[in-house]
Amino acid sequence: MGNTEETDLLKAKDEIKDILKQNASKRAMIPYSDLVANLQSMRLEAHDTRLFRLLGDISVEENEEGRGMLSVIVVHKHGDVQPGPGFFELAKQLGRDTSDILQCWVDELKKVHYYWSTLEK
């Protein structure tokens, strides 16, 4: 990966984190397709492995800060309207109980929504 792409990915990561924080503060969720459509810093597709890597990095960093896995709010637009399988794999790596993925998702979603919606504006 060249330096230019790495720089673009870092910009995209910051932008994605801002979009996620804005949505979390409104106790909202955002489909993968809407997230990439709102991204200005670089073009990514909803199923781009670079997007998944960025979302994972963001969740690891946010989790380390005690704010939960911020990417929990990024969901499929149709079907189960939940995060993709990569989210649950990461959740398990971070010590979450994933034996009931619906419960895991709801618990994490509540934590993230609570944190970002109760911040002083």
Side-chain angles (χ1 to χ4, degrees):
M1 196 179 313
N3 284 342
T4 304
E5 185 175 0
E6 199 59 41
T7 301
D8 290 347
L9 285 169
L10 288 172
K11 287 179 190 170
K13 181 178 160 187
D14 288 341
E15 188 180 355
I16 290 168
K17 191 185 276 191
D18 287 343
I19 292 168
L20 297 185
K21 287 176 182 178
Q22 290 168 11
N23 278 272
S25 72
K26 297 181 238 167
R27 294 184 173 260
M29 293 181 286
I30 186 168
Y32 291 93
S33 55
D34 292 1
L35 175 59
V36 296
N38 285 308
L39 199 57
Q40 302 295 312
S41 54
M42 80 180 294
R43 184 166 164 73
L44 292 172
E45 297 298 324
H47 297 286
D48 193 315
T49 55
R50 295 172 300 173
L51 173 64
F52 301 150
R53 190 183 104 204
L54 294 174
L55 290 171
D57 290 351
I58 289 167
S59 272
V60 167
E61 292 166 9
E62 288 295 301
N63 184 66
E64 288 172 355
E65 295 297 323
R67 297 186 287 251
M69 297 174 64
L70 185 56
S71 68
V72 71
I73 69 166
V74 186
V75 296
H76 298 130
K77 191 171 213 162
H78 304 289
D80 64 11
V81 194
Q82 291 180 3
F87 171 82
F88 296 104
E89 291 167 20
L90 181 59
K92 187 172 187 173
Q93 289 173 18
L94 294 176
R96 304 303 195 276
D97 178 0
T98 57
S99 58
D100 179 341
I101 63 168
L102 181 59
Q103 190 62 54
C104 172
W105 175 54
V106 168
D107 290 347
E108 200 66 29
L109 188 62
K110 284 180 181 177
K111 179 177 186 173
V112 167
H113 276 169
Y114 177 79
Y115 178 84
W116 290 105
S117 68
T118 58
L119 282 179
E120 291 295 321
K121 303 290 184 253

Short mmCIF file of all heavy atoms in Angstrom, two decimals, residues 49-115:
data_model
loop_
_atom_site.label_atom_id
_atom_site.label_comp_id
_atom_site.label_asym_id
_atom_site.label_seq_id
_atom_site.Cartn_x
_atom_site.Cartn_y
_atom_site.Cartn_z
N THR A 49 -13.14 -4.28 1.70
CA THR A 49 -12.41 -4.79 2.87
C THR A 49 -11.68 -3.67 3.61
O THR A 49 -11.49 -3.76 4.82
CB THR A 49 -11.41 -5.89 2.47
OG1 THR A 49 -10.54 -5.39 1.47
CG2 THR A 49 -12.13 -7.13 1.97
N ARG A 50 -11.32 -2.60 2.91
CA ARG A 50 -10.68 -1.46 3.58
C ARG A 50 -11.66 -0.79 4.54
O ARG A 50 -11.26 -0.36 5.63
CB ARG A 50 -10.15 -0.45 2.56
CG ARG A 50 -9.03 -1.02 1.69
CD ARG A 50 -8.65 -0.08 0.57
NE ARG A 50 -9.81 0.16 -0.30
CZ ARG A 50 -9.83 1.05 -1.28
NH1 ARG A 50 -8.79 1.80 -1.53
NH2 ARG A 50 -10.92 1.20 -2.02
N LEU A 51 -12.93 -0.72 4.16
CA LEU A 51 -13.94 -0.16 5.05
C LEU A 51 -14.05 -1.01 6.31
O LEU A 51 -14.08 -0.48 7.42
CB LEU A 51 -15.30 -0.08 4.35
CG LEU A 51 -16.48 0.34 5.24
CD1 LEU A 51 -16.30 1.77 5.76
CD2 LEU A 51 -17.78 0.21 4.46
N PHE A 52 -14.09 -2.31 6.13
CA PHE A 52 -14.20 -3.21 7.28
C PHE A 52 -13.00 -3.06 8.21
O PHE A 52 -13.14 -3.07 9.43
CB PHE A 52 -14.36 -4.66 6.83
CG PHE A 52 -15.57 -4.90 5.95
CD1 PHE A 52 -15.54 -5.89 4.99
CD2 PHE A 52 -16.72 -4.13 6.07
CE1 PHE A 52 -16.64 -6.14 4.17
CE2 PHE A 52 -17.83 -4.35 5.26
CZ PHE A 52 -17.79 -5.35 4.31
N ARG A 53 -11.81 -2.92 7.62
CA ARG A 53 -10.60 -2.73 8.43
C ARG A 53 -10.69 -1.42 9.23
O ARG A 53 -10.37 -1.37 10.42
CB ARG A 53 -9.36 -2.72 7.54
CG ARG A 53 -8.07 -2.76 8.35
CD ARG A 53 -6.84 -2.68 7.47
NE ARG A 53 -6.33 -1.32 7.60
CZ ARG A 53 -5.59 -0.69 6.71
NH1 ARG A 53 -5.26 -1.27 5.60
NH2 ARG A 53 -5.16 0.52 6.93
N LEU A 54 -11.13 -0.35 8.57
CA LEU A 54 -11.25 0.94 9.25
C LEU A 54 -12.26 0.86 10.39
O LEU A 54 -12.02 1.37 11.49
CB LEU A 54 -11.64 2.03 8.26
CG LEU A 54 -10.59 2.37 7.20
CD1 LEU A 54 -11.16 3.36 6.19
CD2 LEU A 54 -9.32 2.92 7.83
N LEU A 55 -13.40 0.23 10.13
CA LEU A 55 -14.42 0.09 11.17
C LEU A 55 -13.88 -0.72 12.35
O LEU A 55 -14.13 -0.38 13.51
CB LEU A 55 -15.68 -0.56 10.61
CG LEU A 55 -16.49 0.30 9.64
CD1 LEU A 55 -17.59 -0.53 8.99
CD2 LEU A 55 -17.07 1.52 10.35
N GLY A 56 -13.12 -1.76 12.05
CA GLY A 56 -12.52 -2.57 13.11
C GLY A 56 -11.52 -1.76 13.93
O GLY A 56 -11.54 -1.80 15.16
N ASP A 57 -10.67 -0.99 13.25
CA ASP A 57 -9.69 -0.15 13.94
C ASP A 57 -10.40 0.86 14.85
O ASP A 57 -9.98 1.08 15.99
CB ASP A 57 -8.81 0.60 12.94
CG ASP A 57 -7.83 -0.30 12.20
OD1 ASP A 57 -7.70 -1.49 12.56
OD2 ASP A 57 -7.22 0.19 11.22
N ILE A 58 -11.45 1.47 14.34
CA ILE A 58 -12.20 2.45 15.12
C ILE A 58 -12.79 1.79 16.37
O ILE A 58 -12.70 2.33 17.48
CB ILE A 58 -13.31 3.11 14.26
CG1 ILE A 58 -12.67 4.04 13.23
CG2 ILE A 58 -14.32 3.86 15.13
CD1 ILE A 58 -13.62 4.50 12.12
N SER A 59 -13.37 0.62 16.20
CA SER A 59 -13.98 -0.06 17.34
C SER A 59 -12.96 -0.48 18.38
O SER A 59 -13.20 -0.37 19.57
CB SER A 59 -14.81 -1.27 16.89
OG SER A 59 -16.12 -0.86 16.60
N VAL A 60 -11.80 -0.94 17.93
CA VAL A 60 -10.75 -1.31 18.88
C VAL A 60 -10.31 -0.08 19.68
O VAL A 60 -10.21 -0.12 20.91
CB VAL A 60 -9.54 -1.96 18.16
CG1 VAL A 60 -8.33 -2.05 19.07
CG2 VAL A 60 -9.92 -3.34 17.63
N GLU A 61 -10.07 1.03 18.99
CA GLU A 61 -9.64 2.26 19.66
C GLU A 61 -10.71 2.77 20.63
O GLU A 61 -10.40 3.15 21.76
CB GLU A 61 -9.32 3.33 18.62
CG GLU A 61 -8.09 3.01 17.80
CD GLU A 61 -7.94 3.89 16.57
OE1 GLU A 61 -8.69 4.89 16.42
OE2 GLU A 61 -7.07 3.57 15.73
N GLU A 62 -11.95 2.81 20.19
CA GLU A 62 -13.03 3.30 21.04
C GLU A 62 -13.24 2.37 22.25
O GLU A 62 -13.49 2.83 23.34
CB GLU A 62 -14.33 3.41 20.23
CG GLU A 62 -14.33 4.56 19.25
CD GLU A 62 -14.27 5.91 19.93
OE1 GLU A 62 -15.16 6.23 20.73
OE2 GLU A 62 -13.29 6.65 19.68
N ASN A 63 -13.11 1.08 22.02
CA ASN A 63 -13.24 0.11 23.10
C ASN A 63 -12.14 0.33 24.15
O ASN A 63 -12.41 0.29 25.35
CB ASN A 63 -13.17 -1.31 22.55
CG ASN A 63 -13.40 -2.36 23.61
OD1 ASN A 63 -14.49 -2.46 24.16
ND2 ASN A 63 -12.37 -3.13 23.90
N GLU A 64 -10.92 0.58 23.68
CA GLU A 64 -9.80 0.84 24.60
C GLU A 64 -10.04 2.08 25.45
O GLU A 64 -9.55 2.18 26.57
CB GLU A 64 -8.48 0.96 23.82
CG GLU A 64 -7.99 -0.37 23.28
CD GLU A 64 -6.79 -0.24 22.36
OE1 GLU A 64 -6.37 0.90 22.04
OE2 GLU A 64 -6.28 -1.29 21.93
N GLU A 65 -10.81 3.03 24.90
CA GLU A 65 -11.14 4.26 25.64
C GLU A 65 -12.37 4.08 26.53
O GLU A 65 -12.80 5.03 27.18
CB GLU A 65 -11.37 5.42 24.66
CG GLU A 65 -10.14 5.83 23.87
CD GLU A 65 -9.02 6.35 24.76
OE1 GLU A 65 -9.32 7.04 25.76
OE2 GLU A 65 -7.85 6.07 24.45
N GLY A 66 -12.95 2.89 26.52
CA GLY A 66 -14.09 2.60 27.38
C GLY A 66 -15.43 3.08 26.84
O GLY A 66 -16.41 3.16 27.57
N ARG A 67 -15.47 3.40 25.53
CA ARG A 67 -16.70 3.95 24.95
C ARG A 67 -17.48 2.91 24.14
O ARG A 67 -18.46 3.24 23.51
CB ARG A 67 -16.36 5.14 24.07
CG ARG A 67 -15.73 6.29 24.84
CD ARG A 67 -15.54 7.51 24.00
NE ARG A 67 -14.45 7.38 23.05
CZ ARG A 67 -13.29 8.03 23.14
NH1 ARG A 67 -13.06 8.83 24.15
NH2 ARG A 67 -12.37 7.86 22.22
N GLY A 68 -17.03 1.66 24.14
CA GLY A 68 -17.71 0.62 23.39
C GLY A 68 -17.25 0.57 21.95
O GLY A 68 -16.44 1.38 21.49
N MET A 69 -17.79 -0.40 21.24
CA MET A 69 -17.42 -0.63 19.84
C MET A 69 -18.28 0.27 18.95
O MET A 69 -19.40 -0.09 18.60
CB MET A 69 -17.62 -2.10 19.50
CG MET A 69 -16.74 -3.04 20.29
SD MET A 69 -17.14 -4.78 19.97
CE MET A 69 -16.73 -4.92 18.23
N LEU A 70 -17.75 1.41 18.57
CA LEU A 70 -18.52 2.42 17.85
C LEU A 70 -19.11 1.91 16.54
O LEU A 70 -20.19 2.34 16.13
CB LEU A 70 -17.65 3.66 17.60
CG LEU A 70 -18.30 4.88 16.95
CD1 LEU A 70 -19.52 5.35 17.75
CD2 LEU A 70 -17.29 6.01 16.82
N SER A 71 -18.46 0.95 15.91
CA SER A 71 -18.99 0.44 14.63
C SER A 71 -20.26 -0.39 14.81
O SER A 71 -20.87 -0.79 13.82
CB SER A 71 -17.93 -0.39 13.89
OG SER A 71 -17.66 -1.59 14.58
N VAL A 72 -20.70 -0.57 16.04
CA VAL A 72 -21.95 -1.30 16.30
C VAL A 72 -23.14 -0.66 15.60
O VAL A 72 -24.12 -1.31 15.29
CB VAL A 72 -22.22 -1.45 17.81
CG1 VAL A 72 -22.61 -0.10 18.43
CG2 VAL A 72 -23.30 -2.49 18.10
N ILE A 73 -23.04 0.63 15.31
CA ILE A 73 -24.19 1.32 14.70
C ILE A 73 -24.22 1.18 13.18
O ILE A 73 -25.18 1.61 12.55
CB ILE A 73 -24.24 2.82 15.09
CG1 ILE A 73 -23.10 3.60 14.46
CG2 ILE A 73 -24.27 2.98 16.61
CD1 ILE A 73 -23.30 5.10 14.53
N VAL A 74 -23.17 0.58 12.58
CA VAL A 74 -23.15 0.38 11.13
C VAL A 74 -23.79 -0.97 10.84
O VAL A 74 -23.34 -2.00 11.32
CB VAL A 74 -21.71 0.44 10.58
CG1 VAL A 74 -21.74 0.36 9.06
CG2 VAL A 74 -21.00 1.70 11.04
N VAL A 75 -24.88 -0.93 10.07
CA VAL A 75 -25.72 -2.12 9.89
C VAL A 75 -26.06 -2.37 8.42
O VAL A 75 -25.91 -1.49 7.58
CB VAL A 75 -27.04 -1.98 10.70
CG1 VAL A 75 -26.76 -1.91 12.19
CG2 VAL A 75 -27.84 -0.77 10.24
N HIS A 76 -26.54 -3.57 8.16
CA HIS A 76 -27.07 -3.88 6.83
C HIS A 76 -28.34 -3.08 6.61
O HIS A 76 -29.14 -2.91 7.55
CB HIS A 76 -27.41 -5.38 6.72
CG HIS A 76 -26.23 -6.27 6.88
ND1 HIS A 76 -26.22 -7.35 7.74
CD2 HIS A 76 -25.01 -6.25 6.30
CE1 HIS A 76 -25.06 -7.95 7.67
NE2 HIS A 76 -24.29 -7.31 6.81
N LYS A 77 -28.54 -2.59 5.41
CA LYS A 77 -29.72 -1.78 5.10
C LYS A 77 -30.97 -2.66 5.02
O LYS A 77 -32.06 -2.23 5.36
CB LYS A 77 -29.51 -1.05 3.78
CG LYS A 77 -30.55 0.01 3.50
CD LYS A 77 -30.16 0.83 2.28
CE LYS A 77 -30.65 2.25 2.44
NZ LYS A 77 -29.97 3.17 1.55
N HIS A 78 -30.81 -3.90 4.57
CA HIS A 78 -31.93 -4.81 4.40
C HIS A 78 -31.65 -6.11 5.14
O HIS A 78 -30.52 -6.35 5.57
CB HIS A 78 -32.16 -5.09 2.90
CG HIS A 78 -32.36 -3.84 2.10
ND1 HIS A 78 -33.51 -3.09 2.18
CD2 HIS A 78 -31.55 -3.20 1.22
CE1 HIS A 78 -33.40 -2.04 1.38
NE2 HIS A 78 -32.22 -2.08 0.79
N GLY A 79 -32.65 -6.93 5.27
CA GLY A 79 -32.45 -8.22 5.93
C GLY A 79 -32.43 -8.07 7.44
O GLY A 79 -33.34 -7.49 8.02
N ASP A 80 -31.34 -8.53 8.07
CA ASP A 80 -31.30 -8.54 9.53
C ASP A 80 -31.10 -7.16 10.15
O ASP A 80 -31.31 -6.97 11.34
CB ASP A 80 -30.23 -9.51 10.04
CG ASP A 80 -28.80 -9.11 9.63
OD1 ASP A 80 -28.58 -7.99 9.14
OD2 ASP A 80 -27.91 -9.97 9.81
N VAL A 81 -30.71 -6.16 9.38
CA VAL A 81 -30.46 -4.79 9.86
C VAL A 81 -29.54 -4.81 11.08
O VAL A 81 -29.78 -4.12 12.07
CB VAL A 81 -31.78 -4.03 10.13
CG1 VAL A 81 -31.52 -2.54 10.27
CG2 VAL A 81 -32.78 -4.25 9.00
N GLN A 82 -28.51 -5.62 11.01
CA GLN A 82 -27.50 -5.73 12.05
C GLN A 82 -26.12 -5.52 11.43
O GLN A 82 -25.97 -5.53 10.22
CB GLN A 82 -27.53 -7.13 12.68
CG GLN A 82 -28.75 -7.43 13.50
CD GLN A 82 -28.69 -8.85 14.07
OE1 GLN A 82 -27.73 -9.58 13.92
NE2 GLN A 82 -29.75 -9.23 14.74
N PRO A 83 -25.10 -5.38 12.29
CA PRO A 83 -23.74 -5.33 11.76
C PRO A 83 -23.40 -6.65 11.07
O PRO A 83 -24.02 -7.69 11.33
CB PRO A 83 -22.87 -5.15 13.01
CG PRO A 83 -23.79 -4.62 14.05
CD PRO A 83 -25.14 -5.20 13.74
N GLY A 84 -22.36 -6.62 10.24
CA GLY A 84 -21.93 -7.82 9.54
C GLY A 84 -21.16 -8.77 10.45
O GLY A 84 -20.87 -8.45 11.61
N PRO A 85 -20.80 -9.94 9.93
CA PRO A 85 -20.13 -10.95 10.74
C PRO A 85 -18.78 -10.50 11.30
O PRO A 85 -18.39 -10.94 12.38
CB PRO A 85 -19.96 -12.13 9.78
CG PRO A 85 -20.24 -11.62 8.42
CD PRO A 85 -21.06 -10.39 8.56
N GLY A 86 -18.10 -9.61 10.60
CA GLY A 86 -16.82 -9.11 11.10
C GLY A 86 -16.96 -8.40 12.44
O GLY A 86 -16.07 -8.46 13.29
N PHE A 87 -18.09 -7.71 12.63
CA PHE A 87 -18.33 -7.04 13.90
C PHE A 87 -18.35 -8.05 15.04
O PHE A 87 -17.74 -7.85 16.09
CB PHE A 87 -19.65 -6.24 13.88
CG PHE A 87 -20.02 -5.72 15.24
CD1 PHE A 87 -19.45 -4.55 15.70
CD2 PHE A 87 -20.88 -6.42 16.06
CE1 PHE A 87 -19.75 -4.07 16.98
CE2 PHE A 87 -21.18 -5.97 17.33
CZ PHE A 87 -20.61 -4.79 17.78
N PHE A 88 -19.06 -9.14 14.83
CA PHE A 88 -19.21 -10.14 15.89
C PHE A 88 -17.92 -10.91 16.14
O PHE A 88 -17.62 -11.28 17.28
CB PHE A 88 -20.39 -11.07 15.59
CG PHE A 88 -21.69 -10.32 15.60
CD1 PHE A 88 -22.33 -10.00 14.40
CD2 PHE A 88 -22.27 -9.90 16.78
CE1 PHE A 88 -23.52 -9.28 14.40
CE2 PHE A 88 -23.46 -9.17 16.79
CZ PHE A 88 -24.09 -8.87 15.60
N GLU A 89 -17.12 -11.11 15.07
CA GLU A 89 -15.80 -11.73 15.25
C GLU A 89 -14.92 -10.84 16.12
O GLU A 89 -14.25 -11.31 17.04
CB GLU A 89 -15.13 -11.96 13.89
CG GLU A 89 -15.79 -13.03 13.05
CD GLU A 89 -15.33 -13.01 11.60
OE1 GLU A 89 -14.25 -12.44 11.31
OE2 GLU A 89 -16.05 -13.57 10.75
N LEU A 90 -14.94 -9.53 15.84
CA LEU A 90 -14.15 -8.59 16.63
C LEU A 90 -14.68 -8.52 18.06
O LEU A 90 -13.91 -8.47 19.02
CB LEU A 90 -14.16 -7.20 15.98
CG LEU A 90 -13.34 -6.13 16.72
CD1 LEU A 90 -11.87 -6.52 16.84
CD2 LEU A 90 -13.48 -4.80 16.00
N ALA A 91 -16.00 -8.52 18.20
CA ALA A 91 -16.60 -8.48 19.54
C ALA A 91 -16.10 -9.65 20.38
O ALA A 91 -15.74 -9.48 21.56
CB ALA A 91 -18.13 -8.50 19.44
N LYS A 92 -16.05 -10.82 19.78
CA LYS A 92 -15.57 -12.00 20.50
C LYS A 92 -14.11 -11.83 20.88
O LYS A 92 -13.72 -12.12 22.02
CB LYS A 92 -15.77 -13.25 19.64
CG LYS A 92 -15.46 -14.53 20.37
CD LYS A 92 -15.84 -15.74 19.54
CE LYS A 92 -15.67 -17.00 20.37
NZ LYS A 92 -16.19 -18.17 19.68
N GLN A 93 -13.29 -11.30 19.95
CA GLN A 93 -11.87 -11.06 20.23
C GLN A 93 -11.70 -10.07 21.38
O GLN A 93 -10.73 -10.16 22.14
CB GLN A 93 -11.15 -10.52 19.00
CG GLN A 93 -10.96 -11.53 17.90
CD GLN A 93 -10.40 -10.88 16.63
OE1 GLN A 93 -9.86 -9.77 16.67
NE2 GLN A 93 -10.56 -11.55 15.51
N LEU A 94 -12.64 -9.13 21.50
CA LEU A 94 -12.56 -8.11 22.55
C LEU A 94 -13.22 -8.57 23.85
O LEU A 94 -13.40 -7.78 24.77
CB LEU A 94 -13.19 -6.80 22.07
CG LEU A 94 -12.46 -6.11 20.91
CD1 LEU A 94 -13.21 -4.88 20.45
CD2 LEU A 94 -11.03 -5.75 21.31
N GLY A 95 -13.60 -9.85 23.90
CA GLY A 95 -14.11 -10.41 25.14
C GLY A 95 -15.60 -10.34 25.34
O GLY A 95 -16.10 -10.64 26.43
N ARG A 96 -16.34 -9.93 24.30
CA ARG A 96 -17.80 -9.89 24.43
C ARG A 96 -18.35 -11.31 24.33
O ARG A 96 -17.78 -12.17 23.65
CB ARG A 96 -18.44 -9.05 23.32
CG ARG A 96 -17.95 -7.62 23.20
CD ARG A 96 -18.10 -6.81 24.47
NE ARG A 96 -17.96 -5.39 24.26
CZ ARG A 96 -16.83 -4.73 24.21
NH1 ARG A 96 -15.68 -5.36 24.32
NH2 ARG A 96 -16.81 -3.42 24.05
N ASP A 97 -19.48 -11.54 24.99
CA ASP A 97 -20.19 -12.81 24.88
C ASP A 97 -20.99 -12.79 23.59
O ASP A 97 -21.95 -12.03 23.47
CB ASP A 97 -21.11 -13.01 26.09
CG ASP A 97 -21.90 -14.31 26.03
OD1 ASP A 97 -21.77 -15.07 25.05
OD2 ASP A 97 -22.67 -14.56 26.97
N THR A 98 -20.58 -13.60 22.61
CA THR A 98 -21.26 -13.61 21.32
C THR A 98 -22.10 -14.88 21.13
O THR A 98 -22.49 -15.19 20.01
CB THR A 98 -20.23 -13.49 20.17
OG1 THR A 98 -19.29 -14.55 20.28
CG2 THR A 98 -19.52 -12.15 20.20
N SER A 99 -22.38 -15.59 22.23
CA SER A 99 -23.18 -16.81 22.10
C SER A 99 -24.59 -16.49 21.61
O SER A 99 -25.23 -17.30 20.95
CB SER A 99 -23.23 -17.56 23.44
OG SER A 99 -23.77 -16.74 24.45
N ASP A 100 -25.08 -15.28 21.92
CA ASP A 100 -26.36 -14.79 21.41
C ASP A 100 -26.03 -13.47 20.72
O ASP A 100 -25.90 -12.44 21.38
CB ASP A 100 -27.34 -14.59 22.56
CG ASP A 100 -28.70 -14.04 22.12
OD1 ASP A 100 -28.79 -13.48 21.00
OD2 ASP A 100 -29.65 -14.16 22.90
N ILE A 101 -25.88 -13.52 19.38
CA ILE A 101 -25.40 -12.30 18.70
C ILE A 101 -26.40 -11.15 18.79
O ILE A 101 -26.00 -10.00 18.85
CB ILE A 101 -24.95 -12.56 17.24
CG1 ILE A 101 -26.09 -13.03 16.37
CG2 ILE A 101 -23.77 -13.50 17.18
CD1 ILE A 101 -25.75 -13.01 14.88
N LEU A 102 -27.68 -11.45 18.84
CA LEU A 102 -28.66 -10.38 18.98
C LEU A 102 -28.48 -9.66 20.31
O LEU A 102 -28.45 -8.43 20.36
CB LEU A 102 -30.09 -10.92 18.84
CG LEU A 102 -31.20 -9.89 18.95
CD1 LEU A 102 -31.06 -8.81 17.88
CD2 LEU A 102 -32.57 -10.55 18.86
N GLN A 103 -28.31 -10.41 21.38
CA GLN A 103 -28.10 -9.81 22.70
C GLN A 103 -26.78 -9.03 22.74
O GLN A 103 -26.72 -7.94 23.29
CB GLN A 103 -28.12 -10.88 23.80
CG GLN A 103 -28.16 -10.29 25.20
CD GLN A 103 -29.41 -9.46 25.45
OE1 GLN A 103 -30.51 -9.95 25.26
NE2 GLN A 103 -29.24 -8.22 25.86
N CYS A 104 -25.75 -9.60 22.15
CA CYS A 104 -24.45 -8.92 22.08
C CYS A 104 -24.60 -7.58 21.38
O CYS A 104 -24.11 -6.55 21.86
CB CYS A 104 -23.46 -9.82 21.34
SG CYS A 104 -21.87 -9.06 20.97
N TRP A 105 -25.29 -7.59 20.24
CA TRP A 105 -25.47 -6.37 19.46
C TRP A 105 -26.28 -5.33 20.24
O TRP A 105 -25.89 -4.17 20.33
CB TRP A 105 -26.15 -6.72 18.13
CG TRP A 105 -26.50 -5.54 17.29
CD1 TRP A 105 -25.66 -4.56 16.86
CD2 TRP A 105 -27.78 -5.22 16.76
NE1 TRP A 105 -26.35 -3.65 16.09
CE2 TRP A 105 -27.65 -4.03 16.01
CE3 TRP A 105 -29.03 -5.83 16.83
CZ2 TRP A 105 -28.72 -3.44 15.36
CZ3 TRP A 105 -30.08 -5.25 16.17
CH2 TRP A 105 -29.94 -4.07 15.45
N VAL A 106 -27.39 -5.75 20.84
CA VAL A 106 -28.25 -4.82 21.58
C VAL A 106 -27.49 -4.21 22.76
O VAL A 106 -27.54 -3.00 23.00
CB VAL A 106 -29.55 -5.52 22.04
CG1 VAL A 106 -30.30 -4.67 23.05
CG2 VAL A 106 -30.43 -5.86 20.84
N ASP A 107 -26.75 -5.04 23.49
CA ASP A 107 -25.99 -4.53 24.65
C ASP A 107 -24.95 -3.51 24.22
O ASP A 107 -24.79 -2.46 24.84
CB ASP A 107 -25.30 -5.68 25.39
CG ASP A 107 -26.28 -6.59 26.13
OD1 ASP A 107 -27.47 -6.22 26.29
OD2 ASP A 107 -25.86 -7.69 26.55
N GLU A 108 -24.24 -3.81 23.14
CA GLU A 108 -23.19 -2.89 22.66
C GLU A 108 -23.81 -1.62 22.11
O GLU A 108 -23.31 -0.52 22.34
CB GLU A 108 -22.33 -3.59 21.60
CG GLU A 108 -20.99 -2.96 21.39
CD GLU A 108 -20.06 -3.07 22.58
OE1 GLU A 108 -20.16 -4.03 23.38
OE2 GLU A 108 -19.20 -2.17 22.72
N LEU A 109 -24.92 -1.75 21.40
CA LEU A 109 -25.62 -0.60 20.84
C LEU A 109 -26.08 0.34 21.96
O LEU A 109 -25.90 1.56 21.88
CB LEU A 109 -26.81 -1.07 20.00
CG LEU A 109 -27.56 -0.02 19.19
CD1 LEU A 109 -26.64 0.63 18.16
CD2 LEU A 109 -28.76 -0.66 18.51
N LYS A 110 -26.64 -0.23 23.01
CA LYS A 110 -27.09 0.59 24.15
C LYS A 110 -25.91 1.34 24.78
O LYS A 110 -26.03 2.52 25.11
CB LYS A 110 -27.75 -0.29 25.21
CG LYS A 110 -29.14 -0.74 24.86
CD LYS A 110 -29.71 -1.60 25.98
CE LYS A 110 -31.09 -2.11 25.67
NZ LYS A 110 -31.60 -2.99 26.74
N LYS A 111 -24.80 0.65 24.95
CA LYS A 111 -23.61 1.27 25.56
C LYS A 111 -23.13 2.45 24.72
O LYS A 111 -22.88 3.54 25.24
CB LYS A 111 -22.50 0.23 25.70
CG LYS A 111 -21.23 0.77 26.30
CD LYS A 111 -20.19 -0.34 26.48
CE LYS A 111 -18.98 0.19 27.21
NZ LYS A 111 -18.04 -0.87 27.55
N VAL A 112 -23.00 2.24 23.41
CA VAL A 112 -22.49 3.29 22.52
C VAL A 112 -23.49 4.44 22.43
O VAL A 112 -23.11 5.61 22.54
CB VAL A 112 -22.17 2.69 21.13
CG1 VAL A 112 -21.96 3.78 20.10
CG2 VAL A 112 -20.96 1.77 21.21
N HIS A 113 -24.76 4.13 22.26
CA HIS A 113 -25.77 5.19 22.19
C HIS A 113 -25.81 5.99 23.49
O HIS A 113 -25.89 7.22 23.46
CB HIS A 113 -27.16 4.60 21.91
CG HIS A 113 -27.41 4.35 20.47
ND1 HIS A 113 -28.49 3.64 20.03
CD2 HIS A 113 -26.75 4.73 19.35
CE1 HIS A 113 -28.49 3.59 18.71
NE2 HIS A 113 -27.44 4.24 18.27
N TYR A 114 -25.74 5.32 24.62
CA TYR A 114 -25.77 6.02 25.90
C TYR A 114 -24.58 6.97 26.01
O TYR A 114 -24.75 8.14 26.36
CB TYR A 114 -25.78 5.02 27.07
CG TYR A 114 -25.75 5.73 28.40
CD1 TYR A 114 -26.90 6.29 28.94
CD2 TYR A 114 -24.56 5.88 29.10
CE1 TYR A 114 -26.87 6.96 30.15
CE2 TYR A 114 -24.51 6.56 30.30
CZ TYR A 114 -25.67 7.11 30.82
OH TYR A 114 -25.64 7.79 32.01
N TYR A 115 -23.39 6.46 25.72
CA TYR A 115 -22.19 7.29 25.87
C TYR A 115 -22.29 8.55 25.00
O TYR A 115 -22.13 9.66 25.49
CB TYR A 115 -20.92 6.51 25.51
CG TYR A 115 -19.71 7.40 25.63
CD1 TYR A 115 -19.10 7.58 26.86
CD2 TYR A 115 -19.22 8.12 24.54
CE1 TYR A 115 -18.02 8.46 27.00
CE2 TYR A 115 -18.15 8.99 24.67
CZ TYR A 115 -17.55 9.15 25.90
OH TYR A 115 -16.50 10.03 26.05
#
